[in-house]
Amino acid sequence: MRWSLELVQALVVLVLWVCCGSGTGCPCSDRALCKPVTVEHEFEVFVFDVGGKDWKYYDWSKVTTIAAFGPYDPELLCYAHANQVRVVLRAGMLEGTIYAECHWVGEGQMNHLIIIWKPPTGSVTVQMATNWVTFNMPWSPDCIDGRCYDFLRIANSCDFLFVMSYDMQSQMWDNCFAKANAPYYQTLSGYSAYINLGIDSRKLVLGVPWYGYDYPCTQFFETGRCVLEKIPFRGAPCSNAAGRQVPYKEIGQHVHKSITGRYWDDEQKVPSYIYMVNNTFHEVWYDDPQSISIKSAIMKKLRLRGIGMWNGNMLNYSDDHFIVKQTEDMWNALCPL
């Protein structure tokens, strides 16, 4: 699909109206906070937020961009800009999703637009008359979940690419055992494959999960050998649809009460644990500060643009001393020394 300048201009007008309203003026008490964020960061830390007020407790010393999936919150905009952080708002339209960064100059005017568009199928040429264009990519360019796009052309049309290095078990081709959501070597291979296509590594942002999968076992032999119900997806006989997504804030509360406690898998370089309910074994695979740190080191190894996560709300921001430490460790893992 080729985007004409006329279509882009029409979408810009629609996004301005959907995201920010018309003529509403600057929502911040300090009008300077409605000006564009111009600070250049050494690397990107891209945070998806799904709503509520968790953002008040984010580590703002690290964040560079907030992609807000929840309702528009002017308080978030003002607070983020006070910390020199961009805010990106979502507006669903056509066959994809568009995100616009809102800041005001004069009465209700925006002068910066970010578009993250996920097309349904096929190759894409993206032509945009905007300041900043980016694109959500599957964890590998190898037709993951039927996403067989011309990734090099997309990369050449974008400022940077957010690579969703999670949900890697959406198609299980080898066996129906529970596995890690984002195994290290599989993660690394995805970025290497993109770079081998000719994509500049500085255009790639490493996406990591702040959630895991809880898999009920139809049979359980030992840790790492939890047999799953066969739920096919896009030709593969099994998939992660056999489990449910679990946020890290829930995992952090449960792992110490499990049968096994935290078990480290050195092959996939992620932890897991086993628990039982109603005579059924469950195996939970997840990421924690250790596994996130190992993956975030890929940034330096391959000279990537930065890192981000799905999503910032999946941590526990209570004031309990033990939980505070868990949460701090997850934020710190994004930025290896």
Side-chain angles (χ1 to χ4, degrees):
M1 177 177 180
R2 184 174 294 274
W3 289 55
S4 67
L5 179 58
E6 291 77 12
L7 177 57
V8 170
Q9 290 171 335
L11 289 175
V12 169
V13 171
L14 182 55
V15 170
L16 294 181
W17 182 82
V18 170
C19 287
C20 308
S22 177
T24 56
C26 176
C28 307
S29 57
D30 180 357
R31 294 185 64 84
L33 297 180
C34 290
K35 293 182 179 180
V37 173
T38 57
V39 172
E40 294 295 328
H41 298 276
E42 183 180 353
F43 58 87
E44 184 76 28
V45 178
F46 198 95
V47 180
F48 287 93
D49 180 279
V50 297
K53 297 295 185 180
D54 285 340
W55 56 265
K56 291 185 175 183
Y57 309 101
Y58 291 169
D59 187 339
W60 289 91
S61 68
K62 295 181 172 62
V63 182
T64 60
T65 301
I66 298 284
F69 267 47
Y72 168 58
D73 184 348
E75 187 183 3
L76 167 58
L77 174 76
C78 303
Y79 192 90
H81 279 203
N83 286 277
Q84 296 297 307
V85 172
R86 299 180 180 89
V87 175
V88 184
L89 303 182
R90 180 180 69 170
M93 55 190 69
L94 297 180
E95 296 171 315
T97 302
I98 291 180
Y99 303 83
E101 182 184 2
C102 289
H103 43 68
W104 282 254
V105 178
E107 283 299 312
Q109 300 297 313
M110 285 172 47
N111 65 355
H112 192 97
L113 183 69
I114 302 169
I115 296 178
I116 305 175
W117 186 58
K118 295 191 289 187
T121 56
S123 296
V124 180
T125 297
V126 184
Q127 295 183 334
M128 299 294 179
T130 62
N131 297 74
W132 194 23
V133 181
T134 185
F135 189 91
N136 277 14
M137 309 275 273
W139 67 265
S140 164
D142 297 330
C143 289
I144 303 300
D145 299 339
R147 300 175 189 179
C148 306
Y149 308 149
D150 187 340
F151 291 108
L152 180 58
R153 181 173 292 183
I154 291 171
N156 290 337
S157 302
C158 294
D159 292 283
F160 75 85
L161 310 166
F162 184 92
V163 183
M164 300 177 289
S165 299
Y166 36 79
D167 289 344
M168 294 185 184
Q169 310 309 332
S170 59
Q171 295 172 288
M172 297 183 187
W173 298 97
D174 49 359
N175 56 52
C176 284
F177 287 163
K179 302 179 184 69
N181 185 22
Y184 171 78
Y185 291 109
Q186 207 168 331
T187 300
L188 179 60
S189 71
Y191 291 92
S192 298
Y194 278 121
I195 293 169
N196 288 340
L197 289 178
I199 295 175
D200 182 355
S201 64
R202 289 293 300 167
K203 283 195 170 187
L204 301 176
V205 172
L206 188 155
V208 296
W210 276 3
Y211 65 95
Y213 274 86
D214 181 334
Y215 292 104
C217 310
T218 59
Q219 291 180 280
F220 177 74
F221 298 106
E222 60 183 351
T223 299
R225 298 192 66 201
C226 164
V227 182
L228 303 181
E229 177 186 358
K230 292 186 177 181
I231 300 180
F233 182 71
R234 292 190 179 274
C238 302
S239 69
N240 57 12
R244 68 178 180 92
Q245 287 188 9
V246 188
Y248 184 72
K249 59 186 172 185
E250 182 178 327
I251 290 167
Q253 297 282 64
H254 292 168
V255 60
H256 301 293
K257 304 174 185 177
S258 65
I259 296 171
T260 58
R262 179 183 182 272
Y263 173 83
W264 179 258
D265 185 295
D266 202 45
E267 182 178 347
Q268 300 183 82
K269 299 195 182 302
V270 291
S272 67
Y273 64 89
I274 304 294
Y275 73 96
M276 177 181 281
V277 61
N278 297 328
N279 295 318
T280 297
F281 284 101
H282 288 244
E283 188 166 66
V284 180
W285 288 93
Y286 63 102
D287 276 273
D288 68 359
Q290 182 181 359
S291 64
I292 295 291
S293 293
I294 291 172
K295 280 190 272 282
S296 64
I298 293 173
M299 282 193 299
K300 288 187 176 181
K301 182 180 180 69
L302 298 182
R303 299 182 181 180
L304 305 183
R305 184 186 181 103
I307 194 168
M309 89 294 292
W310 182 266
N311 59 60
N313 306 78
M314 289 189 170
L315 301 187
N316 189 326
Y317 295 101
S318 76
D319 58 3
D320 176 271
H321 177 75
F322 176 72
I323 291 173
V324 166
K325 182 63 166 57
Q326 282 187 334
T327 298
E328 286 180 351
D329 288 347
M330 286 292 275
W331 280 103
N332 289 336
L334 298 173
C335 304
L337 298 176

